[in-house]
Amino acid sequence: MEKSALQKARATYQPKLPIVLTGAVKAVEGQPTNSVADQEEIKKLFPNTYGLPELKFEKDPAPAARKPINVGVILSGGQAPGGHNVISGLFDGIKKINKESRLYGFLMGPGGLVDHNYIELTSNIINEYRNTGGFDIIGSGRTKLEKKEQFDKGLEILRELNISALVIIGGDDSNTNAAILAEYYKSIGAGVQVIGCPKTIDGDLKNDVIETSFGFDTATKVYSEVIGNIQRDCNSAKKYWHFIKLMGRSASHIALECALQTQPNVCIISEEVEAKNMSLDDVVNYIAGIVAERAARGNNFGTVLIPEGLIEFIPAVKKLIAELNDLLAKNAAEFAAVDAADQRQYIIDHLSADNAAIYASLPLGVARQLSLDRDPHGNVQVSLIETEKLLSEMVGKRLAQMAEEGKYVGKFSALHHFFGYEGRCADPSNFDADYCYALGFNASCLINAGVTGYISSVRKLTKPAVQWIPGGIPITMMMNMERRHGAMKPVIQKALVRLDDAPFQKFASKRNDWAYNTDYIYPGPIQYFGPAEVCDQPTLTLKYEHQGYKDRH
Ligand code: FBP
């Protein structure tokens, strides 16, 4: 593979490890754990892996010689910067356990395990991918591992390759499946450990024990750089309003972090829209009000950040989607047989009156997206809904009305952007390069400790990497029961933006200033080489969360 000068220099970067992982370690058990909610149900569903203790690693002064192990690894779901470093950390970790250990990568996501598609990851391959973005080393996919037949089929190849541990690198849904697989293999005495790793640019796989998912840091820095560039352009020409949709299928962490980094004129936070029971019109009026006020001050330009998942958080639309999910799950065959042109009417005829009215009122494109196929985990594919265009059109119409009423004088010219795929495969920032390498290396320590059903956890992330605290968290600890595909299922609780938490509070205390005074920040590109205050800083979300946590305790 030919490389740029930056890639060559970057390939030599040695990720920093928490100091404790630089020598032999032993696992130290903490207290037994409970799931975050619905304890009785989760306990019944996970009789073999519920209630396990949290683990921490400490230096082992007298380590025993260890046998080689064969490990499998899977990349699952959307790409996130740093996945290759998780794999290289895992590789280095199992080689340190015993240099005869082997790592096998299952190709194109969980489907590779079921279909027996794999490669052995040798040091030549691993070295090509150190510190690079993307998941192309083995590819990723969204096949949902949930059926006994899939687990049994997977076990055949694990046995054939003598693999005794499987590492699943994924988001909340993939780690939920890792927990189910761990429980199943344990229940049948398969002798295969299953370990998860917290991945997703969306930043919504986090809680008291997982401080952040990897990829969020790099992706938000990439988006913030580009938002900053747009803001400088718009502050130069002073003639456009930029409507920028940002990935993050459910939670608004990406939009919030980018707002903190760039200080746009408007940023909508879906969780607030839901908490305040706002309608689409309320959101439109809020934006139009700011556009009009800025126009009154002579500023016919600005930036609006919109989280990808907004539409699903508007309470009325949320109720509609919940009924649609059940309707489409129950009547799947009948609906598939309906002519495409008649599907809209079919849905209107089968929904309750309130939801039918809302569905009928939505622009055709949005309504159609809401009724299209869900992803394998049952999620509406919100990245395909053009919320940025929907909102700017509605704001334009509202401004026209306001102009007629004498409440707006100005010029509204809108441009649209969607930043998502641009950031998911960026070369990892130093933070993500270090964090991912530590997560992978730490996974090898969990394997060596003989545990299953754990997620790799590295904490104290606002400190320098050498001071990070590695350990393991039972996945069942993060679970609750939720409605999926029309039935209650055990799933990892998604972390949405908390309105009482420091990052949102910080944003809320500043947003009025940012709306009317043009106070943009232009963060510039990610820097890999240079002083730590430029190159090694975590996200503002993480910093404020830790600050808020300290203030509360
Ligand atoms: P994960 O939760 O699997 O990490 O993926 C999140 C995400 O990047 C969302 O932000 C986005 O809505 C979705 O993936 C897009 O999915 P796809 O890659 O299948 O188009």
Side-chain angles (χ1 to χ4, degrees):
M1 221 189 287
E2 213 169 322
K3 288 200 168 81
S4 70
L6 174 60
Q7 282 177 315
K8 279 184 200 151
R10 193 65 186 149
T12 63
Y13 177 74
Q14 181 51 54
K16 302 173 208 79
L17 265 184
I19 194 86
V20 68
L21 294 186
T22 56
V25 292
K26 59 177 181 195
V28 179
E29 290 189 3
Q31 295 300 313
T33 56
N34 272 310
S35 59
V36 282
D38 309 311
Q39 282 96 2
E40 284 314 310
E41 286 104 314
I42 310 266
K43 193 173 178 178
K44 248 186 247 149
L45 292 165
F46 295 87
N48 295 285
T49 50
Y50 185 87
L52 298 169
E54 276 186 42
L55 295 179
K56 281 207 176 122
F57 290 113
E58 283 179 3
K59 291 244 171 262
D60 187 351
R66 293 164 296 175
K67 288 201 193 117
I69 36 171
N70 288 0
V71 173
V73 65
I74 296 175
L75 288 164
S76 181
Q79 285 70 254
H84 291 160
N85 270 25
V86 179
I87 295 181
S88 50
L90 176 63
F91 180 84
D92 292 352
I94 63 169
K95 289 286 182 189
K96 196 164 171 191
I97 290 169
N98 186 303
K99 62 180 188 341
E100 301 303 324
S101 298
R102 289 175 153 202
L103 183 62
Y104 293 92
F106 290 99
L107 303 178
M108 302 309 294
L113 175 71
V114 181
D115 300 333
H116 299 188
N117 290 327
Y118 67 91
I119 52 167
E120 181 173 352
L121 292 165
T122 59
S123 61
N124 280 348
I125 298 177
I126 295 285
N127 290 342
E128 275 291 304
Y129 288 91
R130 287 181 194 270
N131 307 314
T132 60
F135 278 6
D136 42 321
I137 188 169
I138 48 174
S140 185
R142 291 198 185 274
T143 303
K144 188 172 160 77
L145 281 183
E146 58 178 349
K147 299 195 185 92
K148 182 179 169 311
E149 306 84 73
Q150 292 173 308
F151 302 165
D152 290 338
K153 202 83 189 39
L155 190 55
E156 284 171 19
I157 189 70
L158 296 173
R159 290 215 162 114
E160 196 179 310
L161 298 171
N162 196 23
I163 288 176
S164 59
L166 185 63
V167 175
I168 299 183
I169 303 170
D172 53 339
D173 289 329
S174 309
N175 277 288
T176 293
N177 295 146
I180 296 170
L181 189 63
E183 174 65 29
Y184 178 71
Y185 284 164
K186 184 97 196 221
S187 73
I188 60 167
V192 177
Q193 300 165 250
V194 183
I195 302 294
C197 266
K199 170 236 69 167
T200 176
I201 60 160
D202 293 2
D204 55 9
L205 172 49
K206 67 174 172 183
N207 43 51
D208 288 346
V209 285
I210 300 293
E211 295 182 1
T212 188
S213 55
F214 78 77
F216 177 69
D217 185 272
T218 310
T220 52
K221 283 174 178 156
V222 172
Y223 306 144
S224 297
E225 178 204 347
V226 191
I227 294 165
N229 294 349
I230 286 177
Q231 294 194 145
R232 200 143 219 172
D233 190 285
C234 111
N235 201 15
S236 305
K238 302 193 192 294
K239 62 177 181 182
Y240 293 124
W241 271 90
H242 292 267
F243 282 70
I244 305 168
K245 183 173 77 164
L246 291 157
M247 253 191 189
R249 190 176 42 216
S250 295
S252 309
H253 298 293
I254 293 181
L256 178 57
E257 172 65 22
C258 291
L260 292 168
Q261 285 194 36
T262 63
Q263 306 189 173
N265 303 108
V266 179
C267 175
I268 307 295
I269 299 297
S270 307
E271 291 82 345
E272 185 183 27
V273 168
E274 181 172 30
K276 291 187 173 164
N277 204 8
M278 289 169 84
S279 64
L280 197 51
D281 275 345
D282 294 334
V283 176
V284 168
N285 286 340
Y286 170 68
I287 302 172
I290 292 175
V291 174
E293 180 56 36
R294 280 181 66 80
R297 299 175 186 207
N299 294 324
N300 286 298
F301 66 93
T303 45
V304 182
L305 305 191
I306 303 153
E308 185 185 50
L310 175 65
I311 202 89
E312 280 193 286
F313 279 76
I314 294 173
V317 182
K318 190 172 185 170
K319 272 191 223 134
L320 161 67
I321 291 175
E323 193 183 343
L324 256 180
N325 283 347
D326 287 356
L327 174 72
L328 296 177
K330 269 191 218 128
N331 301 12
E334 192 176 295
F335 182 67
V338 176
D339 223 48
D342 300 329
Q343 285 184 339
R344 181 177 149 87
Q345 196 53 48
Y346 175 94
I347 289 175
I348 293 173
D349 293 346
H350 285 76
L351 285 172
S352 59
D354 283 358
N355 284 336
I358 292 167
Y359 187 80
S361 75
L362 289 173
L364 287 182
V366 175
R368 189 172 144 64
Q369 282 303 339
L370 293 184
S371 60
L372 285 184
D373 278 353
R374 302 312 191 232
D375 78 4
H377 297 276
N379 304 305
V380 174
Q381 302 202 39
V382 283
S383 63
L384 303 177
I385 300 178
E386 295 183 314
T387 332
E388 70 284 20
K389 290 195 182 145
L390 171 73
L391 280 181
S392 89
E393 267 170 42
M394 292 178 79
V395 167
K397 282 189 189 144
R398 178 77 195 111
L399 288 169
Q401 281 169 359
M402 288 168 75
E404 274 173 24
E405 293 160 8
K407 293 181 185 152
Y408 166 64
V409 183
K411 190 170 172 299
F412 178 69
S413 181
L415 295 176
H416 307 105
H417 315 264
F418 169 35
F419 298 142
Y421 299 98
E422 293 82 349
R424 294 201 312 185
C425 283
D427 282 345
S429 60
N430 285 353
F431 174 88
D432 269 329
D434 294 345
Y435 181 42
C436 291
Y437 188 79
L439 283 172
F441 199 97
N442 184 55
S444 77
C445 301
L446 289 168
I447 294 169
N448 192 45
V451 297
T452 191
Y454 278 76
I455 188 165
S456 178
S457 135
V458 176
R459 291 154 82 172
K460 303 276 181 217
L461 294 173
T462 51
K463 299 209 158 149
V466 287
Q467 293 173 32
W468 291 350
I469 308 284
I473 302 297
I475 303 179
T476 52
M477 183 183 172
M478 309 188 302
M479 289 180 137
N480 66 170
M481 301 295 290
E482 285 177 25
R483 200 169 177 76
R484 295 286 170 94
H485 286 298
M488 292 306 281
K489 295 267 163 71
V491 292
I492 292 178
Q493 199 174 51
K494 221 181 240 313
L496 301 178
V497 168
R498 286 181 47 168
L499 304 186
D500 58 350
D501 223 345
F504 179 82
Q505 291 289 318
K506 186 87 182 174
F507 161 74
S509 71
K510 295 281 184 188
R511 65 177 150 189
N512 278 346
D513 291 347
W514 299 347
Y516 305 116
N517 308 319
T518 305
D519 200 9
Y520 301 146
I521 292 181
Y522 314 117
I526 292 176
Q527 300 293 311
Y528 300 105
F529 306 100
E533 67 271 22
V534 178
C535 302
D536 294 348
Q537 295 306 308
T539 56
L540 293 172
T541 301
L542 204 50
K543 276 192 189 171
Y544 294 146
E545 276 172 355
H546 280 230
Q547 195 55 50
Y549 183 82
K550 266 196 230 138
D551 292 349
R552 281 199 303 276
H553 293 80

